Amino acid sequence: MWVLNCEFSSNLFPCFPFLSGLEFPWGPKPFAEVVAGPLLRNNRQTADSSSLEGHYVGVYFSAHWCPPCRSLTRVLVESYRIIKESGHKFEIVFVSADRSEESFKQYFSEMPWLAVPYSDEARRSRLNRLYGIQGIPTLILLDADGHVITRQGRVEVLNDPECRLFPWHPRPVLELSEANAVQLHEGPCLVLFVDAEEEGELEPAKELIQPIAEKLMAKYKAKEEETPLLFFVAGEDDMSDSLRDYTNLPEAAPLLTILDMSARAKYVRDVEEITPAVVEQFVNEFLAEKLKPEPI
């Protein structure tokens, strides 16, 4: 549902040990250490990975055989130009999942940035494993210290074609849309459904849950961990209707839910009035595993 990604298969990618389990997971290493080595430019020149120091970096997992990848690459080329021309120290590193070196060369010829050599299977594998890549295209944004800003670079690029919000730090609460619905598959998501059809009518719902989302983000950022819950508000539109149908949710509004697509589980708090205290209690009980899931 809504996921226009190309998924990996260990049968299709025998050269990727992270998929076939041939490498023991010794634990995450810093990006600079994993990417260390020569990088290619499409003019056949090379650059050392040390040239990335002090830069925002987009780690781009993609392949020519994947139609959504090709579509994103066309947009990303323009985004790359805009960001560079605005004066930001920014670079992209292409990590190929192409099926042959010839395909890699053809695809990379369209890209103005850097790439891990196709022949360096071990380094491509380590980067995939470092970020737990399950499907492509995936664009991960790193800060100048190599820490993840967002794993949703693809969504950000498509939603912000003028790159005004670069480097796309996560926003506490998102308005559910066709463009960002793919994030529902990234992990558990709190979705507050409200009776809103016009632009701006979702703002009170966002303001209600934003302090809770910000508090949770700050807590996990301090521990250098990813926030375990994303926050959305959804109004009355085709996207919300589709989500309700897919997850078999009632038509009630307001309706407070937590959806875990990967576990095919949902949690529903159907109350007459949704207050910050109700939301915070719901979130805390979910994180403490005190809620009983219903199947999706």
Side-chain angles (χ1 to χ4, degrees):
M1 181 183 181
W2 316 301
V3 182
L4 297 178
N5 274 11
C6 300
E7 294 186 356
F8 285 132
S9 164
S10 57
N11 294 326
L12 294 176
F13 296 90
C15 63
F16 276 42
F18 82 98
L19 292 169
S20 57
L22 297 178
E23 290 189 26
F24 187 82
W26 294 105
K29 296 180 179 179
F31 168 73
E33 182 176 339
V34 177
V35 79
L39 299 170
L40 301 179
R41 297 190 184 277
N42 63 15
N43 60 5
R44 298 186 180 182
Q45 294 183 347
T46 61
D48 191 78
S49 60
S50 60
S51 65
L52 300 173
E53 293 178 5
H55 287 63
Y56 292 108
V57 177
V59 191
Y60 185 36
F61 299 87
S62 185
H64 187 265
W65 55 263
C66 166
C69 294
R70 296 197 301 273
S71 297
L72 179 60
T73 296
R74 288 191 290 270
V75 177
L76 189 55
V77 167
E78 180 63 13
S79 299
Y80 179 80
R81 181 191 66 79
I82 292 171
I83 294 168
K84 297 280 278 189
E85 289 182 356
S86 69
H88 288 288
K89 297 181 72 174
F90 176 60
E91 193 52 80
I92 293 176
V93 177
F94 170 42
V95 183
S96 173
D98 287 294
R99 293 167 176 163
S100 70
E101 184 150 13
E102 188 60 34
S103 293
F104 163 76
K105 289 179 179 178
Q106 178 185 351
Y107 193 30
F108 185 45
S109 69
E110 306 170 12
M111 303 177 183
W113 45 74
L114 300 171
V116 176
Y118 186 80
S119 59
D120 197 339
E121 297 174 2
R123 191 163 27 147
R124 290 190 289 132
S125 170
R126 288 194 296 270
L127 285 163
N128 274 273
R129 193 176 68 238
L130 178 64
Y131 297 114
I133 302 303
Q134 299 296 321
I136 53 176
T138 295
L139 177 64
I140 294 176
L141 266 294
L142 309 179
D143 65 18
D145 295 317
H147 299 138
V148 173
I149 295 175
T150 179
R151 299 177 59 89
Q152 300 298 330
R154 173 192 182 186
V155 173
E156 299 294 353
V157 165
L158 295 177
N159 283 350
D160 183 24
E162 296 181 0
C163 305
R164 292 178 177 176
L165 300 177
F166 179 84
W168 301 305
H169 288 283
R171 292 179 292 285
V173 182
L174 299 174
E175 294 184 15
L176 183 65
S177 68
E178 187 173 348
N180 63 31
V182 66
Q183 293 181 249
L184 293 169
H185 294 263
E186 293 295 321
C189 299
L190 181 144
V191 184
L192 173 57
F193 292 89
V194 296
D195 185 8
E197 296 182 2
E198 301 298 327
E199 186 175 349
E201 289 185 347
L202 287 172
E203 283 306 313
K206 290 175 67 175
E207 291 172 3
L208 187 150
I209 64 175
Q210 181 148 329
I212 300 158
E214 290 176 341
K215 180 179 177 181
L216 194 66
M217 288 179 66
K219 175 182 177 180
Y220 282 86
K221 184 177 181 180
K223 297 193 292 185
E224 298 188 351
E225 297 178 8
E226 289 191 27
T227 306
L229 193 63
L230 300 179
F231 289 76
F232 288 85
V233 292
E236 296 292 329
D237 54 27
D238 292 343
M239 185 71 253
S240 297
D241 290 344
S242 178
L243 180 57
R244 284 182 187 266
D245 290 343
Y246 181 75
T247 55
N248 195 28
L249 287 170
E251 293 296 325
L255 182 68
L256 184 61
T257 69
I258 291 176
L259 306 176
D260 189 344
M261 296 297 196
S262 61
R264 298 195 59 81
K266 64 185 177 186
Y267 307 82
V268 180
R269 183 61 52 92
D270 190 2
V271 295
E272 290 186 4
E273 182 181 6
I274 296 177
T275 64
V278 168
V279 176
E280 188 159 24
Q281 181 182 13
F282 188 46
V283 168
N284 290 338
E285 289 177 357
F286 171 77
L287 295 176
E289 300 182 353
K290 292 181 179 180
L291 300 178
K292 183 179 179 180
E294 300 176 42
I296 291 178

